[in-house]
Amino acid sequence: MKDNKYADIVVNLPVEGPFTYSIPEHLERYVNIGSCVEVSFGDKKATGYVTGLSSKTSVKNIKPVIRALDESPLIGPKMLELTKWISDYYYSSWGEAISAAVPAVLKKGMNVKSRRKKKGPEDEEIEFIDGSDTHLSPNPEQRQALDSIKRCMDDGIHRVFLLHGVTGSGKTEVYLQSIARALEQGHSSIVLVPEISLTPQTVARFRARFGDKIAVLHSRLLGSRRATEWKRIASGEAQIVVGARSAIFAPVKNLGLVVVDEEHETSYKQEDVPRYNAREVAIKRAALSRAVVVLGSATPSLESFYAARNGRYELVELPERIDSRVLPEVQIIDMREELTKVKKVPIFSQPLKLWIEKDIAEGKQVILFLNRRGFSTFISCRKCGYVLACKHCNVSLTYHFHKRKLVCHHCNYKMDPPNVCPQCNSSYVKYWGIGTEKVESEVHRLFPRAVISRMDTDSTEKRGTHEKVLSRFKDHKIDILVGTQMIAKGLDFPKVTLVGVISADTALNLPDFRSGERTFNLLTQVAGRAGRGDLGGKVIIQTYTPAHYSIQAAKNHDYRSFYEKEISFRKELNLPPFCHMVRLMFRGRKEEKVLKVSQALRERLLKGDGPKKVEVVGPAPAPVSRMKGMYRWNLFLKADKIENITSLLKKVLGNNRRVAGIIVTVDVDP
Ligand code: ADP
Ligand code: ZN
Ligand code: ZN
């Protein structure tokens, strides 16, 4: 008989805990460490997780656990430890961190029956005849990488490898063979991929090699399917998990290996509480299980490459494409010069037009990339200068041709395009700026005989469209594919010989210290879509800032020169990886109040930080200074160690998510 009458419970709310509850006799069987339960908290009910048990307590007025939500504990001791670390590092409550680690469908209570459902598009796996079911014989560089990785796995040493290799250099083959070694040892593996590259193509490759041992977790999975996959993993039936961000919490047994593909991707950062980065969580989780981590990228994050340079990680490199296939030649077009040749701002430069014409005439395929949706991205009155902006956000509206609407890309506010200027009634309303819709229509006009398709979040709203377009492109039923970053990554189509970047400047102009890094990554990724077959490849980048080091380094496929330049800026300005940064965002409907609260907090932080370990910068308006009707101001905190910042915040802000009616969010390593 158990004599644990009391449970320490953390709840999925921004409060610290754990709190003590009593365990009614009839629930004793179900309330264990790691169990998910329902408790009353204040005057409401809350989902809680048991973090400890005891036979006595000194706490008075104890409330009982209301009910158990699952028959057996949802989380094991290691997951409790991991989520505790997340809550400390990313400044959330422990209960919130656990909640993020467990799929919602499993927290809904016992006897959840998986309802039968129609076969959805997420179940259909489009066959790509591209996965090979046997190991390829590694080339010397792959062998060297595999030797180092396997040695650590064999010795049970936790180590982080940074696998730096250009696109097509054989990184995935290294992952596959490392996973096979883990399997031989009876160990499980988790492979994280950015959601965007979780295409049927990627999944098919893993499936071809490992068949039913694979479980796939992505955000489009319906609850019931997610629950089934979760159970297959927990039971040990599936020993390899492939998935997006939250797959790092998969309940595998005997974790031996974690792979983080495209480790630099921003989609590994969760935007809600807890605002964790799955890459860092992966490293922590592996450390707890003494597992090996492989971070792979053609364009490693500055943080990871810096760590590799300092010996914290081990750098392994695959410097060349398989079969020494050359990287595509990249040509930069200075659009300022193009502008002098023609009267109107051109979408396509002469060289890009000629190359498209030539390649489709030769029966090859073309990808055109622009990181902006819609038709016109800026609408203004030529008479009075009025700009059509969102009612709720401080951004201009984008004209969407197919919807015949002006749309806000931040809050989705829509309005009909006005015939006259709303301010002066003149009819000189002009549409400027280009989005993917306009690129598509312009390609139609210039190349009427080509089959053209567009892929962005507008064109793929319907489930399954994404896969269908890719499948048609693969079968060469499409000549020219126009798209946003949706088509920038992961695609491997040998007949694509030309990639055109309509504008390299969209990401560069963002007011963010990572904009140079983003631009280099994006251009390198997009360029990597060209010349993957025997037909060779060419990339054309149009830009108004051709001399920028990010663009020059991308042209030369030269990560090192980009890294050296960027890291020296970061050092000079004391930015990550030379410090840790935390962003406090203040939001509210009255701007004066937002400003007042942020300034007051600044003063309290400065006063509270006796030893002056934390630098406080701001407050300053956020890049989008009003969104969804809320004014937004930022305060940045910088320090050598994250604990210096979080302990100061604990002292000054505590668990508060609101100060005098103003919403305050804390984002660690933003
Ligand atoms: P990356 O993940 O770096 O983009 P991949 O692992 O996808 O590179 O490899 C690119 C292509 O080369 C794939 O078609 C893959 O099947 C092939 N490949 C990888 N390694 C080998 C090898 N050792 N021998 C022959 N082909 C290989
Ligand atoms: Zn006007
Ligand atoms: Zn808006």
Side-chain angles (χ1 to χ4, degrees), residues 389-397 407-414 624 626-629:
C390 177
K391 260 169 73 173
H392 314 290
C393 311
N394 191 11
V395 291
S396 58
L397 294 168
V407 182
C408 170
H409 284 182
H410 287 286
C411 73
N412 214 24
Y413 166 79
K414 293 188 183 78
V624 178
R626 191 168 67 107
M627 199 191 283
K628 301 179 186 172

Side-chain angles (χ1 to χ4, degrees), residues 130 132 136-139 142 165-177 205 209 261-262 318 322-323 325 492 532:
D130 134 298
S132 154
L136 302 167
S137 165
N139 68 19
Q142 285 173 319
V166 293
T167 47
S169 61
K171 294 187 294 297
T172 308
E173 188 60 33
V174 172
Y175 306 154
L176 291 167
Q177 297 196 24
R205 249 178 113 178
R209 197 70 60 92
D261 190 29
E262 313 283 1
L318 304 177
I322 295 290
D323 296 338
R325 235 174 263 150
D492 187 0
R532 295 178 78 90

Side-chain angles (χ1 to χ4, degrees), residues 251-453:
V252 296
K253 296 211 174 83
N254 287 323
L255 182 65
L257 173 72
V258 185
V259 172
V260 184
D261 190 29
E262 313 283 1
E263 62 88 27
H264 62 277
E265 274 288 326
T266 49
S267 63
Y268 285 126
K269 185 87 160 77
Q270 160 123 324
E271 282 176 16
D272 295 324
V273 178
R275 298 186 168 79
Y276 66 88
N277 186 322
R279 176 184 71 213
E280 306 306 317
V281 177
I283 293 170
K284 186 67 191 176
R285 178 162 186 193
L288 293 174
S289 300
R290 303 219 304 166
V292 166
V293 180
V294 178
L295 308 176
S297 177
T299 54
S301 63
L302 269 269
E303 282 83 352
S304 296
F305 203 78
Y306 183 69
R309 274 291 182 82
N310 292 330
R312 229 166 18 99
Y313 300 167
E314 190 170 328
L315 184 64
V316 278
E317 298 195 272
L318 304 177
E320 271 166 40
R321 275 184 160 182
I322 295 290
D323 296 338
S324 311
R325 235 174 263 150
V326 287
L327 286 163
E329 184 205 330
V330 180
Q331 186 181 342
I332 295 177
I333 307 290
D334 186 346
M335 293 303 275
R336 294 171 305 185
E337 272 174 33
E338 290 290 313
L339 202 53
T340 62
K341 292 182 205 156
V342 285
K343 278 197 222 85
K344 226 173 69 175
V345 182
I347 298 177
F348 296 103
S349 59
Q350 273 307 326
L352 180 52
K353 244 188 286 189
L354 292 174
W355 275 102
I356 297 174
E357 200 167 281
K358 177 175 162 300
D359 277 27
I360 54 174
E362 290 172 4
K364 297 163 179 172
Q365 288 177 295
V366 176
I367 284 179
L368 297 175
F369 172 82
L370 178 65
N371 212 5
R372 253 185 333 219
R373 302 183 283 127
F375 194 83
S376 304
T377 52
F378 194 79
I379 300 111
S380 66
C381 170
R382 277 218 280 203
K383 193 145 174 234
C384 75
Y386 181 82
V387 176
L388 277 127
C390 177
K391 260 169 73 173
H392 314 290
C393 311
N394 191 11
V395 291
S396 58
L397 294 168
T398 297
Y399 176 56
H400 284 250
F401 178 79
H402 289 278
K403 295 178 182 145
R404 317 254 161 204
K405 291 274 185 212
L406 304 183
V407 182
C408 170
H409 284 182
H410 287 286
C411 73
N412 214 24
Y413 166 79
K414 293 188 183 78
M415 65 177 272
D416 292 327
N419 296 321
V420 295
C421 170
Q423 184 165 279
C424 74
N425 275 325
S426 91
S427 51
Y428 296 114
V429 179
K430 188 149 165 45
Y431 290 60
W432 317 78
I434 48 171
T436 42
E437 273 191 342
K438 191 180 229 154
V439 174
E440 184 190 17
S441 86
E442 187 71 3
V443 192
H444 269 297
R445 197 176 65 78
L446 293 170
F447 309 101
R449 287 220 294 265
V451 183
I452 298 150
S453 205

